Amino acid sequence: MTTDQLRQSPTTDQLRQSATTDLLRRWETLILALLVGVVVWASLGVDGFANGSNVSFLLLDTTEIALMALTMTLVIVAAEIDLSVASTLGLSCAVLGWLWNAGLPIEAIMPICLLVGALCGAFNGLLVTRLGLPSLAVTIGTFALFRGLAYVMLGDQAVADLPPAYTSLATASIGPVPLMTVLVALLAAVAAVVLHATGLGRSIFALGSNEEAAYFSGVRVKRIKFWLFVASGVMASLASLVYTFRYASARADNGVGLELAVVAAVLLGGVSIFGGRGSLPGVLMAVLLLGVVRNALILADVANEVLNFVTGLLLVASVLAPNLGAVWRRRTSPQMEGKSP
């Protein structure tokens, strides 16, 4: 290496400073800072927030949203969306209650519920990949279809005589950590490895960034999208099992409105609504952030309408902030170039 090359090479301090700057500019760092700030504020200003039983309840209360957010992240990174997840959850709950009333053992019902979720996801996937319909329109339709089927099966009936062994399991904990949170952590680790450390994950990012280029690069675009919708349906059904046993009640209206919280968490976690960008750690921190905000406001006796307003505000902010940042960088970039020698 020549003397000039050595002079032009960045020093260790410069590399460290550059890495620190990149880390501070990451969206996930902002979400982590917000999470820490809200936790500190709630611990100091909201009575009962830092109580061990409340922390355990908070973690348990985010279980279903976290489960559905895992696969929703993959779907949105692939530049699609699944708005039917909460209705799939409701349909699986209704199937569970209907089959339980019919006398089937719960051990046989649970795999059937997961199969129902897979079929719901496959239906969405076929309409999107084989007929070329937009996933937004398709899943708005199945959002109403699946919820309607749930009401046809169970009406307004609540099935509450579920096996105590399973209802206890859904609320069991290891110390202050609920058992279902451990399940979320294990599945999150699997999803993170798939998205960030495998060829399949790279293909999902590629087709989300530019579907046509990914197709001509050999990515099986339709097949990957189809199975992402199937996985989304299965995860919604798994969330339905947790939800039903946690509340010890199978109802057709279980999980109404959860799709908003799931999409809000994914977008707030830094996943681009246009696809091709995002990370699972950011999404999991956003799930916790929304859960902490909601829990603290409930403890502070804030009205439910305000909770919905805050959730909607965070959803809008999560979509606007990255795009405003991009606009600001585009506008300031020519000025910076003009100042450069």
Side-chain angles (χ1 to χ4, degrees):
M1 183 176 291
T2 65
T3 305
D4 290 340
Q5 287 174 322
L6 284 172
R7 286 175 181 170
Q8 292 172 359
S9 301
T11 64
T12 304
D13 287 342
Q14 288 173 325
L15 289 173
R16 189 179 296 124
Q17 186 179 5
S18 175
T20 304
T21 304
D22 289 343
L23 181 63
L24 292 175
R25 293 176 63 184
R26 288 181 67 88
W27 183 260
E28 291 83 355
T29 307
L30 174 63
I31 296 300
L32 179 60
L34 280 174
L35 177 60
V36 172
V38 173
V39 167
V40 171
W41 165 78
S43 300
L44 297 176
V46 180
D47 289 338
F49 177 81
N51 184 287
S53 60
N54 182 60
V55 172
S56 182
F57 171 78
L58 189 160
L59 292 172
L60 192 59
D61 203 37
T62 58
T63 303
E64 295 86 6
I65 295 173
L67 286 172
M68 291 188 283
L70 294 178
T71 41
M72 183 69 84
T73 300
L74 275 63
V75 170
I76 295 182
V77 167
E80 301 292 350
I81 196 166
D82 183 359
L83 295 179
S84 67
V85 284
S87 297
T88 303
L89 183 154
L91 179 57
S92 296
C93 289
V95 169
L96 188 152
W98 188 77
L99 292 176
W100 179 250
N101 278 345
L104 261 70
I106 199 71
E107 291 78 10
I109 294 174
M110 288 192 289
I112 293 175
C113 289
L114 295 177
L115 179 61
V116 168
L119 290 174
C120 290
F123 184 66
N124 285 332
L126 284 173
L127 292 178
V128 171
T129 60
R130 299 303 166 188
L131 298 184
L133 300 175
S135 57
L136 179 64
V138 167
T139 56
I140 285 177
T142 52
F143 162 87
L145 175 66
F146 298 157
R147 185 66 70 180
L149 283 174
Y151 278 107
V152 168
M153 293 188 70
L154 215 55
D156 57 359
Q157 179 186 5
V159 180
D161 58 337
L162 299 169
Y166 287 92
T167 55
S168 300
L169 185 67
T171 55
S173 61
I174 304 172
V177 181
L179 201 57
M180 292 303 107
T181 302
V182 177
L183 173 66
V184 170
L186 292 173
L187 292 174
V190 172
V193 168
V194 169
L195 185 61
H196 299 294
T198 67
L200 175 59
R202 288 188 288 275
S203 296
I204 293 171
F205 277 109
L207 70 89
S209 297
N210 190 324
E211 184 174 324
E212 188 174 359
Y215 174 78
F216 285 110
S217 300
V219 174
R220 307 293 293 270
V221 173
K222 290 183 178 179
R223 178 176 295 185
I224 290 174
K225 285 188 175 183
F226 172 79
W227 285 109
L228 287 180
F229 279 106
V230 172
S232 180
V234 172
M235 197 61 82
S237 288
L238 179 61
S240 81
L241 298 178
V242 176
Y243 193 102
T244 303
F245 291 130
R246 189 159 72 88
Y247 290 102
S249 178
R251 295 176 56 93
D253 62 354
N254 278 0
V256 167
L258 280 186
E259 64 280 338
L260 176 62
V262 173
V263 173
V266 173
L267 299 185
L268 186 62
V271 177
S272 171
I273 189 65
F274 304 110
R277 183 164 53 83
S279 74
L280 269 170
V283 172
L284 293 173
M285 286 189 287
V287 169
L288 271 179
L289 175 61
L290 289 172
V292 168
V293 169
R294 187 173 182 82
N295 181 268
L297 292 179
I298 289 174
L299 288 176
D301 201 21
V302 172
N304 197 48
E305 291 77 11
V306 178
L307 297 177
N308 293 332
F309 170 77
V310 171
T311 303
L313 187 65
L314 288 172
L315 177 58
V316 172
S318 63
V319 174
L320 277 180
N323 290 288
L324 289 177
V327 170
W328 181 81
R329 282 193 295 273
R330 280 200 300 272
R331 289 186 175 180
T332 55
S333 180
Q335 296 173 4
M336 295 175 66
E337 287 175 2
K339 290 177 182 178
S340 62

